[in-house]
Amino acid sequence: MSADAAGRGMRAAVIHRYGGPEEFRTVAMPEPVAGPGQVLIDVTLAGINYADLHCRTGEYERYPLPAVLGADVVGRRRGDGRRVAALLRSGGGYAQVARAEAAHTVEVPDGVDDGQALALLEQGATAYGALTLAGRLRPGETVAVTSAAGGVGHLAVQLARELGAGRVIALASTPAKREFVRALGADRTLDPGGPELAGRLAELSAPGGVDVFVDLVGGGVLRAGLDALAPFGRLLSVGARGGAEENFSVDELADRSAGLVGFWLQHVLADRVLFAGIAERLFRLAADGRLVARIDRTVPLSGVAAAHRALAGRETMGKVLVDVHQEDRAG
Ligand SMILES: NC(=O)c1ccc[n+]([C@@H]2O[C@H](COP(=O)([O-])OP(=O)(O)OC[C@H]3O[C@@H](n4cnc5c(N)ncnc54)[C@H](OP(=O)(O)O)[C@@H]3O)[C@@H](O)[C@H]2O)c1
């Protein structure tokens, strides 16, 4: 069923219980209703983020079931028909109509297409916020980025360059990913697997060490980042994959004059002016061709399960999109 003429029904990818990717069902359901301060968006594309995998298993945000997951969309705002992108902090993205906070919605300029806008907003704002607000990156500094071929990572590599990093070291697990991030401007690449990660990082960042370590993985990789930090370096904890977490003592940080800084995009979103300013900067860079999001694949609503498997299986490079109307066109 497509959204009916009266605009009351839509299709969505829904989970009825927490679990594996097999829990997704594509169903017809009523459209959401916008409350005060909210807008409805006729979605063209929805994004898939790594955190969605944790939401699906119930390890992260637990939404009331049945639940529509998905944290970012692009489409047309109901009422004025303007092209907008939005971040959804309560899910609802994998659907033909999404409800968004007006404060978490930004207009998309003409020079940026829907796919680019969507790929840039959640993951680009994360990369930009981490590097600038948490990392306080200064021109000439050495930056290392983990999961560098991923949705956040491949934008962080480009933004580090744009912000004047002296050297960018990109960690990615396969030769194809490392070739991809080299083409984006990484000076050095590194396989995060294998022994002596800290030593290999130290070699690549010699003689000074890493000034800003953007960590999207956690665990042993975060520890290696600390060990390779330059004096006054900043270790940014931006993401984790659910493995064992590292604990650092104050002494370990003090011994290196190092900073351990967390970053959560929610704190950017809580400041409407900050969020809008970052989105504008990202869109301007994209319109000028200085920042390019790679779209790994675009799947239909019925392909969300396969896309989750691909992300978990480390198969993707860049952003994964959902064309929420693809099935309708096909059928
Ligand atoms: N703090 C915030 O506000 C915020 C906002 C957005 C995202 N994040 C976090 O940023 C990270 C990146 O998010 P994303 O959506 O851009 O995902 P992503 O990086 O595109 O995720 C896929 C990649 O993660 C890497 N990876 C490392 N360890 C993995 C593992 N154990 N299992 C599967 N993949 C693994 C793989 O790259 P390799 O094979 O090259 O290792 C894989 O290709 C996530 O941890 C996410 O939660 C945080």
Side-chain angles (χ1 to χ4, degrees):
M1 184 194 81
S2 58
D4 70 21
R8 293 185 301 269
M10 64 172 190
R11 304 260 311 157
V14 170
I15 55 167
H16 290 85
R17 59 180 185 188
Y18 294 109
E22 69 283 356
E23 296 300 336
F24 283 110
R25 299 280 178 277
T26 310
V27 301
M29 62 185 293
E31 290 181 356
V33 176
Q38 297 179 326
V39 298
L40 289 184
I41 297 171
D42 285 306
V43 176
T44 52
L45 295 168
I48 296 183
N49 292 280
Y50 202 87
D52 299 356
L53 278 59
H54 298 304
C55 286
R56 191 201 68 227
T57 56
E59 292 162 293
Y60 190 43
E61 305 278 351
R62 284 180 83 92
Y63 305 132
L65 296 171
V68 179
L69 307 183
D72 48 359
V73 293
V74 64
R76 296 268 174 191
R77 184 164 53 202
R78 284 271 171 92
D80 64 7
R82 305 283 296 182
R83 206 158 60 92
V84 294
L87 300 188
L88 316 173
R89 297 303 89 166
S90 310
Y94 307 160
Q96 292 176 334
V97 182
R99 174 177 49 212
E101 299 298 325
H104 299 167
T105 304
V106 291
E107 292 195 9
V108 180
D110 286 344
V112 181
D113 70 25
D114 280 8
Q116 287 292 306
L118 185 55
L120 289 173
L121 197 58
E122 166 92 21
Q123 285 146 318
T126 299
Y128 187 87
L131 286 167
T132 60
L133 300 168
R136 315 265 171 185
L137 174 62
R138 290 187 296 260
E141 288 192 319
T142 295
V143 176
V145 180
T146 67
S147 298
V152 174
H154 84 296
L155 300 175
V157 168
Q158 296 176 69
L159 287 167
R161 272 269 90 87
E162 184 65 32
L163 293 163
R167 195 182 312 176
V168 179
I169 302 170
L171 283 72
S173 69
T174 67
K177 289 179 180 182
R178 292 193 288 276
E179 196 180 312
F180 166 56
V181 292
R182 258 193 304 273
L184 295 179
D187 301 291
R188 308 281 164 81
T189 61
L190 198 53
D191 184 347
E196 294 298 329
L197 178 57
R200 289 183 287 132
L201 263 169
E203 256 172 49
L204 292 189
S205 59
V210 175
D211 297 298
V212 177
F213 188 87
V214 183
D215 183 51
L216 304 166
V217 177
V221 174
L222 191 65
R223 157 62 59 183
L226 176 66
D227 291 341
L229 272 193
F232 306 108
R234 285 82 73 200
L235 185 64
L236 311 185
S237 174
V238 183
R241 307 294 173 160
E245 288 309 309
E246 279 295 324
N247 289 309
F248 303 124
S249 70
V250 172
D251 282 350
E252 283 180 282
L253 296 172
D255 284 350
R256 297 164 172 81
S257 294
L260 172 61
V261 192
F263 175 81
W264 191 23
L265 186 59
Q266 190 60 33
H267 294 117
V268 171
L269 275 170
D271 181 335
R272 192 173 189 161
V273 174
L274 179 64
F275 174 56
I278 289 177
E280 194 187 330
R281 172 120 200 232
L282 294 168
F283 289 160
R284 198 175 338 113
L285 287 170
D288 292 346
R290 302 171 71 98
L291 178 64
V292 181
R294 180 181 194 272
I295 308 305
D296 177 84
R297 69 191 72 188
T298 303
V299 300
L301 277 173
S302 57
V304 167
H308 271 227
R309 287 191 188 96
L311 257 182
R314 305 169 87 143
E315 293 168 23
T316 62
M317 291 196 277
K319 179 74 172 178
V320 179
L321 303 179
V322 185
D323 178 342
V324 298
H325 295 285
Q326 200 172 329
E327 280 179 314
D328 288 341
R329 281 209 292 274

